[in-house]
């Protein structure tokens, strides 16, 4: 059985033996950041990219020193090994730690650094072909969505609303109907043969999956533009052959078959989406030492 192992402030222990103080600023103020790294074949995938983003998030909340003494490059693979999980995730969180409740920073800071691994099923071929459904909502989040902050209430409410509407994921729109990203994913569209996604800004998280999808799609010869599109572009005014997909660490790329009450394209996983995803899955499998997966585009 997989052991639930926790790394907490420099020590490995069982997950149920891990505690944080009531006045931890992560708990009371949401004063912290996090990362989610995928584990495949007992390897942390694209770990270096996640660590670059983790250090950036720490810098943006002025908590850079919190990572000193925590060698995430070796601690996280060790955590995966100790946990014995083959597929799943590593969750990492760093908060400004416990101090008598006050908005301003405690001096000196007393960060809480934790990570644990958890087994999780990655999407199956059937789930990929079945596709995913998005539920549009107005983006109520703060203006620093580029920081992977633990302040996730707006996403929690949006994703719950999506679930209650029978959808799988929320789709955050600005007040003009421009598509920003999903509740916990980046969103791409294929419009007139061009793959488009919202440019990096304070309004979206710079996804690691997004980064690799763009690189892989370009290497396959597709034109990729970091140029936002509207809800109308992918629904009522959508050109024939329009495709939409999400991109996130634990779900890779998922074809979107419906947005609200609108079917996307012909309501099936799109050819461009599956072609890029096939290459994405090949590259990932090779990285973690797994055999090449069966192509999905052929099964369309
Ligand atoms: N979420 N946008 C948002 C708002 C996200 O929360 C995420 C990831 C992404 C995709 O980023 P990446 O490809 O690096 O996973 C985009 C993680 C998985 C989560 O909160 O569980």
């Amino acid at each position: 059985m997989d052991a639930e192992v926790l790394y907490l402030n420099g020590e490995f222990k069982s997950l149920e033996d891990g505690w944080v103080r009531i006045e931890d600023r992560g708990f009371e103020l949401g004063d912290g950041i996090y990362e989610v790294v995928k584990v495949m074949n007992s390897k942390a995938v694209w770990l270096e990219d996640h660590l670059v983003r983790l250090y950036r998030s720490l810098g943006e909340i002025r908590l850079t020193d919190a990572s000193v003494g925590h060698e995430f490059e070796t601690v996280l693979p060790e955590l995966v090994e100790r946990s014995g999980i083959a597929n799943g995730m590593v969750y990492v969180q760093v908060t400004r730690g416990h101090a008598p409740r006050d908005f301003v920073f405690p001096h000196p800071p007393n960060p809480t650094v934790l990570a644990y691994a958890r087994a999780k099923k990655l999407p199956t071929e059937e789930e990929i072909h079945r596709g995913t459904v998005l539920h549009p909502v107005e983006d109520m989040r703060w203006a620093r969505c580029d920081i992977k902050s633990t302040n996730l209430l707006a996403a929690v409410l949006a994703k719950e609303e999506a679930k209650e509407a029978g959808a799988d994921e929320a789709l955050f729109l600005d007040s003009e109907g421009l598509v920003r990203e999903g509740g916990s994913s980046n969103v791409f569209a294929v419009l007139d043969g061009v793959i488009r996604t919202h440019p990096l800004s304070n309004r979206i998280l710079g996804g690691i999956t997004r980064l690799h999808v763009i690189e892989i799609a370009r290497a396959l010869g597709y034109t990729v533009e970091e140029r936002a599109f509207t809800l109308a572009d992918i629904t009522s005014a959508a050109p024939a052959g329009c495709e939409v997909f999400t991109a996130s660490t634990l779900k890779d790329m998922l074809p979107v078959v419906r947005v609200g009450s609108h079917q996307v394209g012909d309501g099936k996983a799109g050819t461009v989406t599956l072609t890029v995803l096939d290459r994405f899955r090949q590259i990932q499998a090779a990285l973690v030492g797994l055999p090449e997966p069966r192509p999905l585009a052929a099964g369309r």
Side-chain angles (χ1 to χ4, degrees):
M1 213 188 64
D2 303 331
E4 303 208 306
V5 183
L6 172 73
Y7 174 84
L8 179 62
N9 296 330
E11 284 174 33
F12 288 98
K13 51 179 77 181
S14 114
L15 189 56
E16 58 185 31
D17 291 335
W19 297 96
V20 290
R21 304 271 295 261
I22 295 290
E23 285 188 307
D24 192 286
R25 294 171 63 90
F27 180 56
E28 288 193 335
L29 304 169
D31 188 3
I33 58 95
Y34 75 106
E35 269 302 320
V36 175
V37 185
K38 179 170 46 193
V39 176
M40 267 176 88
N41 200 27
S42 303
K43 306 223 169 48
V45 182
W46 288 318
L47 179 58
E48 314 72 42
D49 296 326
H50 285 279
L51 292 181
V52 167
R53 187 170 65 187
L54 179 96
Y55 297 132
R56 178 184 183 276
S57 293
L58 284 174
E60 293 300 313
I61 69 161
R62 298 165 59 191
L63 194 52
T64 318
D65 290 348
S67 58
V68 173
H70 302 281
E71 303 299 332
F72 291 124
E73 297 78 358
T74 50
V75 164
L76 301 185
E78 183 175 347
L79 186 67
V80 173
E81 199 187 320
R82 285 176 182 249
S83 306
I85 68 162
N87 297 310
M89 66 159 190
V90 171
Y91 178 82
V92 188
Q93 182 174 323
V94 182
T95 78
R96 213 177 306 273
H98 75 90
R101 188 179 182 278
D102 193 358
F103 287 84
V104 297
F105 294 176
H107 290 291
N110 182 23
T112 300
V113 178
L114 65 88
Y116 58 84
R118 192 176 277 291
K120 252 184 187 304
K121 284 205 171 66
L122 305 174
T124 62
E125 283 181 32
E126 293 69 40
E127 281 161 351
I128 296 168
H129 281 297
R130 198 182 321 131
T132 195
V133 175
L134 303 183
H135 173 73
V137 292
E138 189 175 343
D139 193 351
M140 303 291 281
R141 299 173 303 167
W142 73 326
R144 286 306 306 273
C145 296
D146 56 310
I147 302 173
K148 204 158 169 59
S149 138
T150 53
N151 285 268
L152 291 171
L153 190 54
V156 166
L157 294 176
K159 285 176 77 93
E160 178 61 25
E161 186 186 314
K163 184 185 153 204
E164 288 170 8
D168 305 296
E169 170 67 309
L171 179 66
F172 283 128
L173 307 175
D174 76 0
S175 54
E176 248 80 270
L178 219 56
V179 170
R180 285 183 174 154
E181 61 178 334
S184 58
S185 55
N186 292 112
V187 177
F188 288 73
V190 186
L191 294 164
D192 294 318
V194 174
I195 302 176
R196 283 167 61 180
T197 194
H198 194 289
L200 292 179
S201 80
N202 59 317
R203 293 296 178 183
I204 68 160
L205 181 75
I208 305 305
T209 319
R210 175 189 182 280
L211 188 83
H212 289 280
V213 165
I214 292 175
E215 194 183 290
I216 290 167
R218 284 190 176 139
L220 286 171
Y222 290 106
T223 304
V224 182
E225 290 179 5
E226 295 184 61
R227 179 158 67 93
F229 50 89
T230 65
L231 180 62
D233 287 335
I234 55 170
T235 54
S236 46
C242 164
E243 298 179 27
V244 177
F245 62 87
T246 60
S248 67
T249 290
L250 297 180
K251 304 252 164 93
D252 293 344
M253 294 164 59
L254 281 183
V256 174
V257 293
R258 188 157 61 80
V259 177
S261 56
H262 293 267
Q263 178 178 297
V264 175
D266 62 3
K268 287 201 213 141
T271 310
V272 175
T273 306
L274 293 180
T275 306
V276 178
L277 178 54
D278 275 336
R279 186 75 190 116
F280 183 98
R281 281 159 48 99
Q282 267 176 17
I283 290 172
Q284 223 172 221
L287 266 179
V288 300
L290 283 174
E292 193 169 309
R294 228 169 19 158
L296 296 159
R300 192 180 189 265

